[in-house]
Amino acid sequence: MALLPHLVPSARGLLIFEAAARTGSFTATAAEFNVTQPSISRSVAELEAAIGVKLFERRARGIELTIDGRALHDVLGEAVTRIAETIEAIQRRKSSTKPVVTLSMSSSFVAHWLLPRLGEFNAAFPQVDIRFDLVPGVLRGIPDNVDLATRIVADDDESFHRWFFAPEIIFPVCSPAYLSARGPLDHKGDGAGHVFLWLTDHATPK
C-alpha cells in the first residue's frame, strides 16, 4: 500500500476537499480557511491531478461531487470527524486535570482552622485540587501517599522534614455544674479531686 504523502500533494488539500464537499461551495470553504476562492479552486485541482480523477463537477449553480468524489468524502468526512472529536477529548482531559495535593491532618484541625480558609485558597489557586486524609485522635506516623501532614512530634524526632506551623494550646474545660460541685482546678497541683477525660491513645499520668 502506498503511503499517503505519495498519493496526495498535501494533507491540507484533503482538508480543503472535505470542507468543499461538506459545504458544497468553494466560496464557503475559502471563508473557513481564511483564503481566497481561487486558492481553494487551485488546491482542489491539484488534488484531482494527483489522484487522476475529477472530484467535483463545476456547474453554473455551484459544485457537485462526482461518484469518485463522493466515495472519497464518505471516508474522509468520517475520519476528519473522528480526529476532531479525539483532539477535543484530549483537550478536555488536559484542561480538567489538576495537580492534586494530599493533606494528612486531624479532622478537628481541618474543621476549625482549614475549612474557614479554604474558599480563599481556592480563589487564589483554582488549578489545585486538595484531597484530605483525615486522622482522628493523636496523629502518629505519616502515610506514604500524602504531600503534607500536621503531626505532633518530639523535638529530637528526625524522621521527617518538618517545621513549626502553629502552636497548640491545650486547656481543661468543664460545665458550670461540674465547677460548682468540684471547684476550680489547681493548675500547680496534681489534679486530685477532679475527673479528666483523655484521648483513648493518650498516656494517662500515674
Side-chain angles (χ1 to χ4, degrees), residues 136-140 152 168-172 190 196-206:
V138 177
L139 308 181
R140 303 302 183 188
I152 300 175
E168 183 176 39
I169 302 174
I170 302 176
F171 55 89
D190 59 2
F196 294 92
L197 300 178
W198 304 92
L199 294 172
T200 56
D201 53 358
H202 188 282
T204 304
K206 303 296 184 182

Side-chain angles (χ1 to χ4, degrees), residues 7 22 42 53 60 66 68 81-82 113 153 159 163 170 189 196:
L7 297 175
R22 172 168 40 84
R42 284 194 301 270
V53 297
T66 63
D68 293 323
T81 299
R82 292 184 61 184
W113 190 92
V153 298
S159 304
W163 62 93
I170 302 176
F196 294 92

Side-chain angles (χ1 to χ4, degrees), residues 10-170:
S10 71
R12 187 173 184 273
L14 289 174
L15 294 177
I16 289 175
F17 163 75
E18 187 279 329
R22 172 168 40 84
T23 61
S25 167
F26 285 172
T27 301
T29 303
E32 188 171 312
F33 281 81
N34 196 28
V35 295
T36 63
Q37 190 271 346
S39 174
I40 296 298
S41 182
R42 284 194 301 270
S43 293
V44 172
E46 290 174 0
L47 181 62
E48 290 176 324
I51 297 176
V53 297
K54 290 182 63 175
L55 300 174
F56 292 102
E57 293 289 352
R58 280 77 166 170
R59 305 187 187 282
R61 63 178 182 277
I63 58 174
E64 184 177 324
L65 283 168
T66 63
I67 295 176
D68 293 323
R70 190 173 299 110
L72 179 59
H73 182 252
D74 288 344
V75 175
L76 186 59
E78 180 182 355
V80 168
T81 299
R82 292 184 61 184
I83 291 171
E85 290 174 349
T86 301
I87 292 175
E88 289 174 348
I90 292 172
Q91 291 175 334
R92 285 194 300 270
R93 186 162 62 248
K94 180 179 179 181
S95 64
S96 64
T97 300
K98 297 181 179 180
V100 177
V101 177
T102 303
L103 308 178
S104 180
M105 301 175 172
S106 70
S107 53
S108 59
F109 178 83
V110 171
H112 298 294
W113 190 92
L114 187 57
L115 284 184
R117 296 167 171 82
L118 199 56
E120 184 178 351
F121 178 88
N122 288 335
F125 304 97
Q127 73 279 10
V128 178
D129 187 9
I130 295 182
R131 307 282 175 85
F132 293 103
D133 176 43
L134 300 182
V135 183
V138 177
L139 308 181
R140 303 302 183 188
I142 300 176
D144 295 333
N145 60 340
V146 302
D147 300 297
L148 294 171
T150 57
R151 294 292 189 271
I152 300 175
V153 298
D155 291 339
D156 58 353
D157 188 346
E158 301 297 335
S159 304
F160 311 104
H161 177 69
R162 58 196 173 92
W163 62 93
F164 291 105
F165 180 74
E168 183 176 39
I169 302 174
I170 302 176

